[in-house]
C-alpha cells in the first residue's frame, strides 16, 4: 500500500519531494508511523531522503511502485469486464494484485486487450511490450492466437451456459486448439467462437 501511495503522490508532486505529512494523511496513519515506514523503504533502496524536505522514489522504487499500481489496475479491469463483479472492486483488486506473477500479468494484459485506464478512468502505468518471435509456451487469449499455431486451453472465464455449450463441442481446459482462418479446430472438429468468447479463453501455445 505504501509504494502505491508514494507512486500517486510522486505523480502529483511534479518532481518535488514527498513530505512525511502527505504520506501520513494519504495512508491515514500517524506521522511517526509514516516516518518509520519511509525509513524502512529507504533502507531497501526504494527511496532517497532529502533532509528537511522529504523523499523521492529511486529508479528501483519507481519501477516497483508502478508495477504494483499497474497490476492493481489490470485486476480492476478484469473484475469489471470479465467477471461483472459488483462488489468493492478497488479492495478486491488490491488483494488479487499480490498473487500476480509476471507471466500472469502479461496474459491478463493480452486478455483485456492492453487497457490504458481502470474502469474509473485512472491511468494504468504502461510497460514496454516486446514481441517474441518464439511463439512456444505463450499464454494467450484465443483472439490473439496466430493462425496454425497449436495451443492447449488453460483458462475459460465463462458463465455456466457458455461453458457447457463449448464443452459439448470439445472445448474445455486441457483441450488442444488451433486457429484455421476464421474458425477454430478442436479434436478435428471446426468450432465457431465469438470475438467476445475468444477474449475470455486463454490457451498456451505448444
Amino acid at each position: 500500500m505504501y509504494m502505491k501511495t508514494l507512486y500517486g503522490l510522486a505523480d502529483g508532486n511534479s518532481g518535488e519531494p514527498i513530505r512525511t505529512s502527505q504520506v501520513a494523511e494519504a495512508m491515514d496513519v500517524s506521522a511517526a508511523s509514516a516516518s518509520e515506514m519511509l525509513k524502512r523503504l529507504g533502507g531497501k533502496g526504494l527511496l532517497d531522503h532529502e533532509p528537511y524536505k522529504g523523499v523521492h522514489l529511486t529508479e528501483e522504487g519507481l519501477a516497483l511502485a508502478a508495477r504494483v499500481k499497474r497490476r492493481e489496475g489490470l485486476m480492476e479491469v478484469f473484475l469489471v469486464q470479465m467477471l461483472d463483479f459488483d462488489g468493492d472492486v478497488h479492495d478486491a483488486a488490491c488483494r488479487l494484485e499480490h498473487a500476480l506473477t509476471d507471466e500472469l500479468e502479461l496474459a491478463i494484459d493480452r486478455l483485456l486487450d492492453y487497457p490504458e485506464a481502470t474502469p474509473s478512468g485512472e491511468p494504468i502505468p504502461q510497460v514496454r511490450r516486446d514481441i517474441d518471435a518464439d511463439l512456444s509456451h505463450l499464454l494467450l487469449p484465443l483472439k490473439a492466437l496466430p493462425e496454425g499455431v497449436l495451443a492447449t486451453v488453460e483458462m475459460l472465464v465463462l458463465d455456466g451456459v457458455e461453458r457447457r455449450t463449448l464443452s459439448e463441442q470439445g472445448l474445455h481446459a486441457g483441450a488442444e486448439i488451433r486457429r484455421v482462418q476464421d474458425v477454430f479446430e478442436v479434436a478435428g472438429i471446426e468450432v465457431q467462437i465469438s470475438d467476445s468468447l475468444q477474449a475470455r479463453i486463454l490457451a498456451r501455445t505448444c
Side-chain angles (χ1 to χ4, degrees):
M1 285 293 291
Y2 269 90
M3 294 306 296
K4 184 179 65 177
T5 298
L6 287 165
Y7 181 88
L9 291 173
D11 189 49
N13 266 22
S14 301
E16 292 297 312
I18 303 167
R19 300 186 304 277
T20 301
S21 59
Q22 287 181 285
V23 178
E25 181 179 357
M27 294 294 298
D28 194 24
V29 298
S30 68
S33 294
S35 179
E36 177 62 28
M37 180 55 72
L38 294 180
K39 287 180 182 177
R40 291 182 188 177
L41 295 174
K44 295 179 179 179
L46 301 175
L47 297 175
D48 280 331
H49 182 255
E50 192 171 339
Y52 307 109
K53 292 187 177 181
V55 297
H56 293 278
L57 285 164
T58 62
E59 185 175 336
E60 181 182 356
L62 181 60
L64 175 60
R67 185 179 69 188
V68 171
K69 187 73 172 178
R70 170 179 166 74
R71 289 181 173 181
E72 184 176 296
L74 287 175
M75 291 314 303
E76 287 189 22
V77 178
F78 180 83
L79 287 167
V80 172
Q81 288 190 6
M82 297 291 104
L83 303 184
D84 197 24
F85 183 70
D86 61 359
D88 189 331
V89 173
H90 183 74
D91 181 66
C94 183
R95 295 173 185 274
L96 291 170
E97 170 270 318
H98 299 293
L100 289 188
T101 62
D102 291 345
E103 182 185 31
L104 190 53
E105 176 190 335
L106 291 173
I108 290 176
D109 194 27
R110 294 190 195 101
L111 175 66
L112 299 173
D113 199 20
Y114 310 111
E116 296 182 355
T118 67
S120 62
E122 189 173 352
I124 295 175
Q126 297 298 298
V127 296
R128 175 181 173 181
R129 300 182 181 94
D130 294 321
I131 299 176
D132 194 343
D134 181 5
L135 294 176
S136 61
H137 307 298
L138 290 179
L139 190 61
L140 302 169
L142 291 188
K143 65 184 296 183
L145 185 65
E147 183 173 353
V149 174
L150 183 66
T152 302
V153 176
E154 288 198 3
M155 182 187 300
L156 300 92
V157 186
L158 310 174
D159 63 29
V161 174
E162 293 168 336
R163 188 180 295 272
R164 284 194 297 274
T165 299
L166 291 178
S167 181
E168 290 171 357
Q169 300 178 72
L171 185 56
H172 51 76
E176 291 190 341
I177 189 168
R178 188 194 312 268
R179 180 191 292 275
V180 182
Q181 296 183 345
D182 295 330
V183 298
F184 290 88
E185 187 177 275
V186 181
I189 300 173
E190 289 188 352
V191 179
Q192 291 277 359
I193 304 174
S194 69
D195 290 344
S196 173
L197 293 182
Q198 288 181 39
R200 291 184 280 139
I201 301 173
L202 293 176
R204 188 179 300 279
T205 56
C206 299

